[in-house]
């Protein structure tokens, strides 16, 4: 069996698994899509769910063997929303620079833009304060956190701060262990 046939078979298996989802599973996915799409500018929950399923069926997101379909779709949905957020951040930084150059918001108040979600901003500020306190003695971890705040990829963070792949990976493992030890959730990148 060649790769094209394997991909077709995987897509067919995925389509069958999606078709036999129970009403409860569909409601869970809908609720998760609503949660993930919350405050995404110009994106509805249905867009998130549909994009996730389309990417899965097209083979862009592969369904690993042994992973429950709901878990797979939840992780794929997270990835889709991360991409939407990265795109929104890029577009917002362009808009903010245009606004600043035309006499709009000052640069230090760009995050207080009218379209910012106050709850999400407050939660992010609190989480960053916790992370800064937890990793105050770990310079590499603080660099990684700063890079993630800026929406950088692992490669971009390593390049910006001159970290080797080993240094980066080791710091991420330390960070993960520390977060687990302190029972903090939401650090999955």
């Amino acid at each position: 069996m060649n790769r094209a046939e394997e991909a077709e078979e995987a897509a067919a298996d995925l389509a069958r698994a999606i078709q036999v989802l129970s009403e409860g599973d569909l409601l869970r996915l809908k609720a998760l899509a609503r949660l993930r799409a919350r405050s995404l500018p110009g994106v509805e929950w249905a867009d998130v769910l549909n994009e996730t399923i389309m990417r899965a069926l097209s083979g862009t997101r592969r369904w690993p063997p042994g992973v429950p379909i709901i878990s797979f779709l939840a992780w794929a949905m997270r990835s889709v929303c991360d991409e939407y957020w990265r795109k929104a951040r890029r577009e917002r930084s362009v808009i903010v620079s245009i606004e600043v150059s035309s006499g709009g918001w000052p640069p230090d108040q760009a995050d207080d833009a009218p379209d910012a979600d106050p709850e999400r901003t407050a939660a992010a500020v609190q989480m960053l304060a916790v992370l800064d306190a937890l990793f105050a003695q770990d310079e590499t971890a603080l660099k990684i956190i700063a890079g993630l705040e800026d929406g950088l990829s692992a490669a971009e963070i390593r390049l910006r701060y001159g970290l080797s792949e080993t240094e980066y990976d080791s710091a991420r493992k330390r960070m993960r262990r520390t977060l687990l030890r302190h029972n903090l959730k939401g650090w999955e990148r």
Side-chain angles (χ1 to χ4, degrees):
M1 186 181 296
N2 65 28
R3 286 185 183 217
E5 291 171 342
E6 287 176 8
E8 283 180 34
E9 186 176 323
D13 290 343
L14 182 64
R16 281 190 292 278
I18 291 171
Q19 286 175 341
V20 297
L21 287 174
S22 70
E23 189 68 30
D25 290 339
L26 292 173
L27 287 174
R28 273 189 224 106
L29 286 172
K30 181 179 175 181
L32 183 59
R34 283 181 189 264
L35 181 67
R36 291 274 183 211
R38 182 175 169 229
S39 303
L40 270 171
V43 179
E44 299 292 324
W45 68 267
D47 299 330
V48 171
L49 186 56
N50 290 334
E51 181 69 20
T52 300
I53 291 172
M54 290 303 296
R55 288 184 186 189
L57 290 173
S58 71
T60 305
R61 302 276 183 233
R62 299 243 180 217
W63 182 22
V67 174
I69 185 69
I70 297 294
S71 298
F72 164 70
L73 290 173
W75 280 101
M77 199 178 302
R78 177 182 178 269
S79 177
V80 166
C81 287
D82 284 348
E83 288 178 26
Y84 279 131
W85 274 114
R86 278 193 295 275
K87 180 181 176 192
R89 266 189 246 122
R90 279 192 306 269
E91 289 173 357
R92 181 174 172 188
S93 66
V94 169
I95 291 170
V96 167
S97 28
I98 291 170
E99 285 289 328
V100 168
S101 66
S102 66
W105 306 304
D108 60 339
Q109 294 178 359
D111 286 337
D112 296 330
D115 64 336
D117 177 16
E119 288 177 38
R120 191 174 186 88
T121 302
V125 168
Q126 287 174 343
M127 181 55 93
L128 288 173
V130 169
L131 292 175
D132 285 340
L134 278 175
F135 300 110
Q137 304 302 315
D138 191 337
E139 187 178 328
T140 306
L142 291 175
K143 289 176 180 177
I144 292 172
I145 292 168
L148 291 172
E149 282 180 62
D150 292 339
L152 301 177
S153 68
E156 292 168 330
I157 292 170
R158 287 194 310 266
L159 181 64
R160 177 184 279 184
Y161 297 108
L163 300 173
S164 71
E165 195 167 335
T166 304
E167 289 172 315
Y168 179 87
D169 291 342
S170 297
R172 287 301 301 253
K173 287 176 187 172
R174 284 193 312 273
M175 293 165 74
R176 212 171 286 120
R177 286 192 299 265
T178 301
L179 292 171
L180 288 172
R181 213 176 15 254
H182 288 85
N183 202 22
L184 293 174
K185 307 255 189 280
W187 186 266
E188 292 123 359
R189 275 191 192 209

